[in-house]
Amino acid sequence: MASDFGIIGLGVMGSNLARNVERNGFSVAVYNREPEMLEAFLGEFGHGHSFTPAPTYEALVAELERPRRILMMIPAGAPVDSVSATLRPLLEPGDILIDGGNSNFQDTDRRLEDLAPSGIRYFGMGVSGGEEGALWGPSLMPGGDEETFAHLEPILTKIAAKVDSGPCVTWCGRRSAGHFVKMVHNGIEYGDMQLIAEAYDLMRNALDMSPDEIAATFSEWNGGELESFLIEITSKIADFPDDQGGDGILLDSIVDAAGQKGTGKWTTITALQVGVPIPTITAAVDARIASSFRELRQRVAVAHPGSGPSPKERLASLDAEPSQVVDWIREALYASKICSYAQGFDLIHQASKEFDYGTRLDELARIWKGGCIIRARFLDRIREAFQRDPGLDNLLLDNRFGEEVRSRESSWRNVVRLSLDLGMTAPAMAASLSYYDQLRRKRLPANMIQAQRDFFGAHTYKRLDRDGTFHTEWPKLHKTS
């Protein structure tokens, strides 16, 4: 009997996905470049299960029923190009090759075009949920030919996470839509994580709350509007004891330099190219980069010691109880989160129009509710907003989200002001607030910028009171006036 599905790459994600597919009733042919990893996988998971080892690419292809469905779970970049090139002469028209890594969507478009003459159907698919999600149910974001998706759907719907609205998988759109959506998902994830870190920082270093108090606060928040996977794990991290022999909590021994793999940076670059402002996500990317300059920060901290009020002095001047400030932080976090998601969904909306993806935003909110890292209660509300108005240009134009932001504005401003006064900074919260303020102003000072551009470069400008394009001889008129 031929196998139903093939998987290349048996790292943590690949091996867990293979087990997930097999557990849901499909036979799986597995291949790994390093034979020892294939042997280890079969030794641990092969007995009594429907796995067939493939020692070569040729053996893998020969083992699969047609049209062949092969998932690559390998590092993005050159490895994907190499494996695709190796498989190309072995596959037949109609076979489906899926890239489940975090590939750049532009690479996916290029590979799709390269393989098109061969008749091989190429799919870029975002996979979110980490190793546990891969095993028990990830959020899956496939993009490619919609007709081809029908050949993948029976398997993908079985292995995806399940929520009350169905399996967390949907066709994300044509061509590279799957990897584009996953990229923006990760950008939103960057924003979420930075916003939570800023809330933690204020509680720990402005309010001087204990780790136990902070953990309890995040746990309480997880029972309300902020309920999410990231808030949940933060409540567990905040007071986790050092399990490696150190004193106190583990968090205090972790170096404050955040890593990144590139998807957040790609999101910011793409937003600039498409022309969509995503300041919260960009602030989160910048914050990770700034954190990496740890040695420089130590030197600057010595050269420029703080001269502002101490946290206790500032809190005393606010005439507010610590519990009230915690409530402010919660409301600021929620309002900032709304703006961050508004930016991410706006980017996907505009890109879908520009690249002709055909992406449904309500469906993305649905499949992100389970399995993925940004799963959260309020994604149901986002889904409802886009179902009420499929052409909604921005979440801030939805009446319900708009009212929620407006009702939290005072607390939001208090928190950003507090962070600035203390010299702590909350760049993502401040960026969200600035985004909100910019969008709700009917007139911005961009008229000055246009005048400057016309003055030094004759770039022209438009007028409010008449149609057309205009240019002023600024230097000449200035000299004669």
Side-chain angles (χ1 to χ4, degrees), residues 237 242 244 249-257 294:
I237 291 169
D242 193 331
Q244 297 169 39
I249 63 169
L250 179 58
L251 199 56
D252 287 345
S253 295
I254 296 177
V255 174
D256 55 319
R294 192 171 189 278

Side-chain angles (χ1 to χ4, degrees), residues 170-239:
T170 192
W171 177 70
C172 289
R174 291 175 279 274
R175 298 187 310 283
S176 60
H179 277 147
F180 190 96
V181 165
K182 178 55 162 57
M183 176 190 73
V184 178
H185 164 283
N186 285 19
I188 293 172
E189 179 184 311
Y190 273 54
D192 258 358
M193 294 172 72
Q194 178 64 28
L195 289 168
I196 292 170
E198 291 171 11
Y200 162 79
D201 190 26
L202 287 164
M203 285 189 279
R204 185 76 188 273
N205 296 305
L207 298 180
D208 199 27
M209 292 171 61
S210 71
D212 289 345
E213 290 172 325
I214 296 172
T217 298
F218 277 110
S219 181
E220 179 184 343
W221 289 357
N222 197 48
E225 62 193 9
L226 284 168
E227 179 187 339
S228 66
F229 171 72
L230 286 170
I231 291 289
E232 177 188 352
I233 67 170
T234 302
S235 72
K236 298 174 181 178
I237 291 169
D239 64 347

Side-chain angles (χ1 to χ4, degrees), residues 289-304:
I289 295 171
S291 76
S292 69
F293 289 91
R294 192 171 189 278
E295 190 273 334
L296 175 63
R297 288 189 287 111
Q298 312 310 308
R299 290 159 51 200
V300 174
V302 173
H304 298 272

Side-chain angles (χ1 to χ4, degrees), residues 312-387:
K312 288 185 178 180
E313 291 171 335
R314 178 57 188 154
L315 290 172
S317 71
L318 290 175
D319 192 27
E321 294 295 323
S323 60
Q324 183 178 6
V325 179
V326 171
D327 284 340
W328 289 349
I329 296 171
R330 174 180 53 79
E331 295 196 337
L333 176 57
Y334 187 66
S336 298
K337 183 183 179 79
I338 291 173
C339 285
S340 182
Y341 278 68
Q343 295 161 34
F345 276 92
D346 190 18
L347 176 55
I348 295 173
H349 177 56
Q350 297 303 325
S352 181
K353 290 193 293 186
E354 181 165 331
F355 304 141
D356 190 31
Y357 282 153
T359 306
R360 283 184 52 181
L361 300 184
D362 63 320
E363 275 290 277
L364 298 189
R366 184 187 68 79
I367 68 168
W368 286 348
K369 192 187 171 189
C372 69
I373 304 302
I374 64 171
R375 59 185 183 265
R377 174 191 291 189
F378 94 139
L379 282 162
D380 269 339
R381 312 259 316 288
I382 294 178
R383 180 190 180 204
E384 292 166 2
F386 286 115
Q387 287 180 333

Side-chain angles (χ1 to χ4, degrees), residues 403-431:
E403 174 55 34
E404 289 194 327
V405 171
R406 288 192 297 274
S407 68
R408 290 159 175 78
E409 184 181 341
S410 177
S411 297
W412 198 2
R413 294 190 187 282
N414 285 339
V415 170
V416 172
R417 188 180 303 115
L418 174 63
S419 69
L420 292 173
D421 285 349
L422 295 177
M424 294 174 59
T425 78
M429 287 188 184

